[in-house]
Amino acid sequence: MPDQITETTRTSWFSRLGSAIGGIFVGLLFVLAAVVLIFWNEGRAVQTAKSLAEGAGQVQTVAAERPDPAMEGRLVHVSAPVRAGGVPVDAELGVTAPPGTLRLLRRVEMYQWREERQTETRTQLGGATETVTTYRYTRGWAEGRNDSSRFRQPDGHENPEPRHADRAWTAPDIRLGGFRLTEDQASQVPAREELAPPSGSTMFIGADANAPRLGDLRITWRIARPEALSVVAAQRGDGFAAFRTRAGDALFLLVPGQVPASEMFAQAEAANATMTWLLRGGLVLLMLVGFGLVLKPLKVLADVLPPVGAVVGFGTGLVALLLTLVLAPSVIALAWLFYRPLVALAVLAAGVGAALAIGRLRRRGMAAAVQR
């Protein structure tokens, strides 16, 4: 028999209506938060774009062999082979990274209990709902530890504490020519390479790798071993610090390889655009959920007759979508008018001009058709 439990709960129409009415306040908070954060996100994007443009106009590529005191505090671009005074070591498990490694990351997976939940809700005549929830328990590999005390049925599904955990180590005395990188700065170097045998591969801690038991561990390591690094930052002594722009951002760019400053700024601009669109999408979804909560009482009222409730639910969902499609772009437009009024007015003027031009073409077309 599968290791699972099933629970059935019933919620009356009056309870659902009370919760839905209370949800109106939450929905309004969601919409307000989305408006404020959308406005903030546009400002953040503009500030970052201005800071990157400012940095691209000021940065100077300098020789890496020896810091130039004349460049102290100024925005510099350094690109050179990287070296370290040693290699990172996982002394706890006896793993030493190969020469040239800047960072060593340990990833620990434990064989443990996992809880899966499946829920099905049915609306009954009269507006009450019946919810059937099935909790299934399986064992498998997972990173970290699933908190079994939060399981619906923790008894018999207790997960032990792992004997080892994820950790990271950084090589000592990392230098880029004559410049020194701090441990925090070096932690930005991505570690994507799997540590190969014999030092690496996968370590199994348990009795039998082919028949794992609860609490057994599977451990792998990744390393960052770039031959060169490129940095754009303020020069501070024989090292680097974030460069504070007039626009307000603190610039510190680090990428593997010998990359020109112009390409580093182009990558940062692309990352800023991607982040802006991701945040826009998430905040628009938050606004949509908020409007859905505000309109939910209408659906609950109509759920007295489930078929009618389904139709009303579709309608309220459509209204929530339309409200979101009107409000979200309006907030973005207002933000651009606030943060970049000249650009926003130019775009608006171009849009109005295009609309007028299309209108003239349509009138001429109609006049020509009448003359024929």
Side-chain angles (χ1 to χ4, degrees), residues 46-91:
V46 169
Q47 177 176 305
T48 300
K50 287 182 177 179
S51 294
L52 290 172
E54 180 184 334
Q58 293 187 27
V59 68
Q60 297 184 53
T61 299
V62 299
E65 288 75 18
R66 185 181 299 107
D68 183 357
M71 300 301 294
E72 180 70 16
R74 300 174 69 178
L75 187 65
V76 298
H77 166 250
V78 179
S79 183
V82 62
R83 68 182 189 278
V87 294
V89 177
D90 182 351

Side-chain angles (χ1 to χ4, degrees), residues 104-120:
L104 174 67
L105 277 70
R106 179 211 289 168
R107 178 174 181 263
V108 179
E109 296 175 286
M110 184 171 71
Y111 195 73
Q112 57 188 295
W113 284 107
R114 300 176 297 190
E115 181 183 72
E116 300 173 359
R117 183 171 63 180
Q118 182 178 356
T119 301
E120 181 182 0

Side-chain angles (χ1 to χ4, degrees), residues 350-366:
V352 171
L356 292 174
I358 293 172
R360 290 195 191 99
L361 290 174
R362 289 185 63 186
R363 286 194 294 271
R364 289 177 184 175
M366 293 174 65

Side-chain angles (χ1 to χ4, degrees), residues 143-156:
E143 192 170 358
R145 175 183 178 270
N146 295 328
D147 187 357
S148 51
S149 66
R150 296 180 179 271
F151 288 173
R152 187 65 186 87
Q153 188 179 54
D155 292 343

Side-chain angles (χ1 to χ4, degrees), residues 281-293:
L283 293 171
V284 167
L285 181 60
L286 177 65
M287 183 179 291
L288 178 62
V289 172
F291 279 126
L293 289 172

